Amino acid sequence: MKSTPLHAHPLGDSAVTITFGTERSAELLGRIHAAARSLESAGIPYVEDVVPAYLALTVYYDPLHTSYDEMAKTILDACAQPARAARDIAPPRNHLIPVRYNGMDLDAVAAAMGLSAAEVIARHSGRAYTVDLLGFVPGWAYLSELDSSLQIPRRPEPRPRVPAGSVAIAAAQTGVYPLDTPGGWHIIGHTDTAMFDPTREPPALLRAGDTVRFERVE
């Protein structure tokens, strides 16, 4: 992949967004994840949070102690440098999440995709997923690499409430609802694993770059 020059942009008065490219790809996302982990490990003063996305990452900082220009230069320089030594960077984590595949949409998904419910379960639980990014609500992780035979459009009408722990699929992604929220993805199962706990540090179980596997349990 051809390397695109990095660009810094202000986001409000307390964040700087670094754009890495204009075309979404797994390689570009991996580069962004690596830069985010490197920045988190660098101990840059006044940085409060690092949030990766598909084409960019955003660094939130304390505007009372530094300026946008200073922070933008520091972050650009850090992102442009070769990767920090592996021992200094927190590695991606691997998670195994137990799932009861009893979701209210399981049979409908199977029928729509021309599969049996058992085939849907086997294909969903039969591979590892990458955490692309977190968003939507606290603790919600977008997981990529859903089997192509399970890639179904979102529901035409979102539900007003989806219970926390619901395991769902839509388009090319899967995910777990961390909180009771509205949602338009197809629910195929449920887990008791807490995806978000404000008393935990960090509160979100998953972070960008982690890998996830789902394990069927009764």
Side-chain angles (χ1 to χ4, degrees):
M1 182 184 68
K2 182 179 179 180
S3 181
T4 302
L6 303 180
H7 297 282
H9 313 275
L11 181 64
D13 62 357
S14 60
V16 53
T17 294
I18 307 296
T19 302
F20 283 71
T22 58
E23 296 184 8
R24 178 174 161 180
S25 70
E27 185 178 354
L28 180 64
L29 188 59
R31 182 183 168 202
I32 293 170
H33 287 168
R37 291 196 300 273
S38 182
L39 287 171
E40 289 169 347
S41 301
I44 298 173
Y46 312 125
V47 167
E48 296 181 340
D49 199 8
V50 180
V51 181
Y54 283 112
L55 301 175
L57 63 78
T58 296
V59 176
Y60 291 86
Y61 59 88
D62 183 351
L64 298 179
H65 292 90
T66 187
S67 69
Y68 166 79
D69 289 338
E70 291 172 335
M71 187 56 65
K73 183 180 185 306
T74 299
I75 299 302
L76 278 172
D77 289 346
C79 289
Q81 295 300 317
R84 291 163 57 85
R87 65 178 180 274
D88 296 330
I89 301 176
R93 298 166 300 176
N94 303 312
H95 305 265
L96 184 63
I97 296 178
V99 178
R100 295 188 299 278
Y101 283 95
N102 57 359
M104 64 184 79
D105 297 322
L106 177 61
D107 290 337
V109 168
M113 307 309 289
L115 302 169
S116 67
E119 288 173 319
V120 172
I121 295 168
R123 297 183 189 194
H124 185 263
S125 61
R127 61 174 55 202
Y129 300 92
T130 300
V131 179
D132 286 351
L133 54 88
L134 275 70
F136 173 46
V137 293
W140 172 271
Y142 291 90
L143 309 180
S144 61
E145 290 101 41
L146 182 67
D147 190 290
S148 60
S149 66
L150 301 181
Q151 294 182 13
I152 183 172
R154 295 183 184 216
R155 290 171 46 81
E157 293 187 9
R159 292 185 172 95
R161 179 183 176 276
V162 175
S166 295
V167 179
I169 61 175
Q173 296 178 312
T174 186
V176 182
Y177 283 83
L179 307 169
D180 292 353
T181 65
W185 290 27
H186 302 268
I187 302 169
I188 61 172
H190 186 274
T191 181
D192 292 329
T193 300
M195 307 306 294
F196 182 80
D197 180 351
T199 66
R200 186 172 59 197
E201 183 56 43
L205 175 66
L206 306 179
R207 70 182 180 204
D210 285 357
T211 60
V212 175
R213 295 191 72 98
F214 295 104
E215 178 183 35
R216 182 184 185 182
V217 296
E218 298 300 330

